[in-house]
Amino acid sequence: MTTEITNNLPKVVADHIAACNAHDVQAWMATFAPDAMLNDIQREFIGTDAIRGFGDKEIFGDNVTMAVQRAWNRHGDITVHAKLDGAYDKTGLPDPLILSFYFSVRGDQITQLIIVHNKTQV
């Protein structure tokens, strides 16, 4: 069953987005399970050390912010469509840039996050 949750995100997902927007890498990292997997642009980062390296460079180094556009709970997994902004290279990217974030959450931690720039309109 799919439920629209744009204004009622699970706490860990809301905390993750808030930490990104506050440029707080410590709070952002606290949302991940120790053995979590993050996939961005077909690159896998497994475990907190690898995820921290990704975040330091590509999220916090580029001052990325996220504005939630829509979100759903699909059988316990969370999908968030968010508008991104920041100091990253925007060459060839649409404006606005909307990415899909596919969160797997167990308990109060993110165990998997897959970030996709979908080709279909979101």
Side-chain angles (χ1 to χ4, degrees):
M1 171 181 253
T2 300
T3 305
E4 195 277 331
I5 59 167
T6 303
N7 297 311
N8 191 27
L9 294 172
K11 183 176 181 345
V12 70
V13 173
D15 289 350
H16 179 86
I17 294 167
C20 176
N21 291 338
H23 309 293
D24 185 343
V25 68
Q26 294 298 104
W28 189 77
M29 288 302 303
T31 64
F32 288 101
D35 61 347
M37 187 277 294
L38 183 148
N39 185 302
D40 181 60
I41 315 174
Q42 300 175 342
R43 300 168 299 154
E44 282 191 1
F45 304 92
I46 299 173
T48 52
D49 289 342
I51 292 170
R52 173 74 185 244
F54 163 82
D56 282 344
K57 181 179 179 193
E58 298 187 36
I59 302 296
F60 300 99
D62 287 337
N63 294 312
V64 170
T65 58
M66 300 172 61
V68 174
Q69 305 298 292
R70 297 175 70 191
W72 301 267
N73 180 327
R74 289 190 173 95
H75 305 280
D77 292 317
I78 309 303
T79 301
V80 174
H81 292 171
K83 180 172 79 172
L84 269 65
D85 201 3
Y88 53 87
D89 181 5
K90 295 178 172 94
T91 304
L93 295 174
D95 184 18
L97 176 61
I98 308 289
L99 297 182
S100 299
F101 293 77
Y102 299 97
F103 292 91
S104 296
V105 175
R106 302 298 178 263
D108 61 354
Q109 293 187 309
I110 297 165
T111 57
Q112 180 171 268
L113 173 55
I114 300 170
I115 306 167
V116 177
H117 180 213
N118 285 307
K119 294 182 190 264
T120 57
Q121 186 174 359
V122 293

